[in-house]
Amino acid sequence: MEPIIKCPDCNLTMEKGFMPDKGRGELRQARWFPGNATFGTCLKLYWFDPKGTRLITSYCCPQCGLLRSYAFLGTN
Ligand SMILES: [Zn+2]
């Protein structure tokens, strides 16, 4: 069952969406990673272990545009 997220300012139901993450010529849904980011040379972000990551779902208020993002359990 989809959660109903209400805007704390307008009390309207927020619209479900996602933030894209571009890499290697493709678009994916952005993920939340536990812990600290690890950077290599030239600020290239490295991550090797997708264990414990979650897809990020974002909700937008249709009136004021407020965004709220969630990394729900079970979205890996
Ligand atoms: Zn609002």
Side-chain angles (χ1 to χ4, degrees), residues 10-50:
C10 308
N11 201 33
L12 294 175
T13 300
M14 301 177 83
E15 299 171 0
K16 183 180 179 183
F18 67 95
M19 302 289 198
D21 183 19
K22 185 178 180 185
R24 296 184 181 176
E26 60 186 16
L27 285 176
R28 297 182 182 182
Q29 185 174 357
R31 289 182 170 273
W32 174 87
F33 283 72
N36 297 315
T38 303
F39 290 92
T41 57
C42 300
L43 296 179
K44 188 174 183 180
L45 177 63
Y46 292 107
W47 63 74
F48 300 104
D49 186 4

Side-chain angles (χ1 to χ4, degrees), residues 44-71:
K44 188 174 183 180
L45 177 63
Y46 292 107
W47 63 74
F48 300 104
D49 186 4
K51 188 177 180 181
T53 65
R54 301 180 194 181
L55 294 173
I56 298 171
T57 301
S58 187
Y59 291 82
C60 180
C61 175
Q63 182 163 297
C64 73
L66 176 73
L67 296 174
R68 296 190 86 169
S69 295
Y70 295 84

